[in-house]
Amino acid sequence: GENVEQHPSTLSVQEGDSAVIKCTYSDSASNYFPWYKQELGKRPQLIIDIRSNVGEKKDQRIAVTLNKTAKHFSLHITETQPEDSAVYFCAASLPPGYSSASKIIFGSGTRLSIRP
Amino acid sequence: NAGVTQTPKFQVLKTGQSMTLQCAQDMNHEYMSWYRQDPGMGLRLIHYSVGAGITDQGEVPNGYNVSRSTTEDFPLRLLSAAPSQTSVYFCASRASYRDTFQLISGNTIYFGEGSWLTVV
C-alpha cells in the first residue's frame, strides 16, 4: 500500500523567512497530494492540494511543488507569520480504479514554529 | 450544514470496557473514515467506508470495528479498550471517490472536531 514519509518532524524559522516541508510517497500511481494544517487542539484543515498532472500550485504565500519522477512533493511557505505556527501534514491518494483509491494516507506531520 | 459531527468529545474508559464513538455527516458524502492521532505518528487510518454497507480496513484496524448502515453515520466501536488505544480520534468524510477527480472540491476531506479518549 501507499506510504508517505514527511520531513522534518520539527521546524523553527524566523518570522518573515521561508519554510519548506518535504514528503515522499511510495506508490507511483498516486495522483492527488493535499496538505493540511492543524492548530493546537483543532481539527486538520486543507490548505492546498495538487494533482499529478500539475508541477506547481500557488495560493498567496503558500505553494506546493511535485516531482513525479522522484516521487516527492514539498510545501513552501514564504514570508512566514506567527499564525503559520501549527502542525502540517502531507498526504497522498490513488486515482479511481484502484481498490484503495478512496484512502488518503498521511505523513507523520511537521511542527512548524515561527520565532518573533 | 453541520459538516462532520462526532461524539463524545472527551471520554475516559477503564481497560476492558467497550464504547462507541459516533460520527455523522450531512454532506451526502459516500466516503467516511476514522483516523487516530498520536504524538509523532501523524494521522493513521483505522477503517474506512466507500458507501453504505461497505467497509474496509486501514493501516491500524486491530481492536476496532465499524459499520455503515446509512450514508450519514459511521460509528467506531472499541470492543475491549486497552491503554494503547489512548489517542485522539478523528472522523472524516469526502465526496464520492467515483467523481472525485472530476471536481477539485470533491477531493477535500472534511474532519470532525476530534474525540479525546483516555484508557486507564
Side-chain angles (χ1 to χ4, degrees):
Chain A
E2 176 64 279
N3 183 51
V4 179
E5 294 191 356
Q6 182 172 346
H7 301 280
S9 57
T10 60
L11 180 60
S12 179
V13 301
Q14 193 76 32
E15 182 178 351
D17 288 350
S18 296
V20 180
I21 303 170
K22 298 181 179 181
C23 289
T24 61
Y25 59 99
S26 61
D27 196 327
S28 58
S30 290
N31 72 339
Y32 174 64
F33 308 94
W35 285 88
Y36 284 79
K37 176 183 180 181
Q38 185 181 31
E39 296 177 345
L40 188 62
K42 297 188 176 181
R43 73 187 89 185
Q45 293 195 310
L46 180 72
I47 55 171
I48 195 168
D49 57 12
I50 192 168
R51 300 167 182 266
S52 59
N53 60 346
V54 176
E56 183 176 7
K57 183 177 179 181
K58 290 184 179 180
D59 183 4
Q60 299 183 339
R61 296 186 296 109
I62 294 174
V64 57
T65 58
L66 172 65
N67 183 326
K68 290 168 53 180
T69 302
K71 292 190 287 186
H72 68 70
F73 55 112
S74 301
L75 178 71
H76 304 254
I77 305 174
T78 59
E79 301 173 9
T80 52
Q81 300 170 4
E83 54 264 35
D84 294 329
S85 294
V87 178
Y88 292 80
F89 293 97
C90 63
S93 73
L94 294 164
Y98 287 79
S99 60
S100 56
S102 54
K103 294 193 299 185
I104 291 185
I105 301 300
F106 286 84
S108 56
T110 296
R111 182 173 299 278
L112 175 62
S113 300
I114 307 301
R115 304 191 303 271
Chain B
N1 286 351
V4 180
T5 305
Q6 58 180 107
T7 57
K9 192 170 180 69
F10 300 99
Q11 183 72 48
V12 178
L13 282 179
K14 293 183 179 179
T15 297
Q17 285 185 319
S18 62
M19 78 158 297
T20 299
L21 297 176
Q22 301 291 344
C23 177
Q25 52 88 14
D26 61 358
M27 298 174 281
N28 201 33
H29 286 171
E30 291 195 3
Y31 175 78
M32 296 186 74
S33 56
W34 279 100
Y35 290 86
R36 61 176 287 174
Q37 184 175 28
D38 304 296
M41 300 293 289
L43 293 158
R44 292 185 293 170
L45 183 64
I46 304 172
H47 286 285
Y48 67 102
S49 169
V50 299
I54 306 169
T55 63
D56 205 348
Q57 296 182 348
E59 302 168 276
V60 288
N62 292 341
Y64 308 94
N65 273 1
V66 292
S67 60
R68 186 90 181 272
S69 55
T70 66
T71 299
E72 294 78 20
D73 301 299
F74 190 46
L76 178 72
R77 298 184 188 85
L78 282 70
L79 306 175
S80 178
S84 61
Q85 294 178 304
T86 293
S87 188
V88 182
Y89 291 84
F90 286 98
C91 180
S93 75
R94 184 184 186 192
S96 169
Y97 78 95
R98 289 199 300 270
D99 54 21
T100 285
F101 294 92
Q102 297 170 12
L103 297 169
I104 293 175
S105 63
N107 283 303
T108 303
I109 191 165
Y110 296 88
F111 286 90
E113 291 186 314
S115 296
W116 276 254
L117 176 66
T118 301
V119 182
V120 297

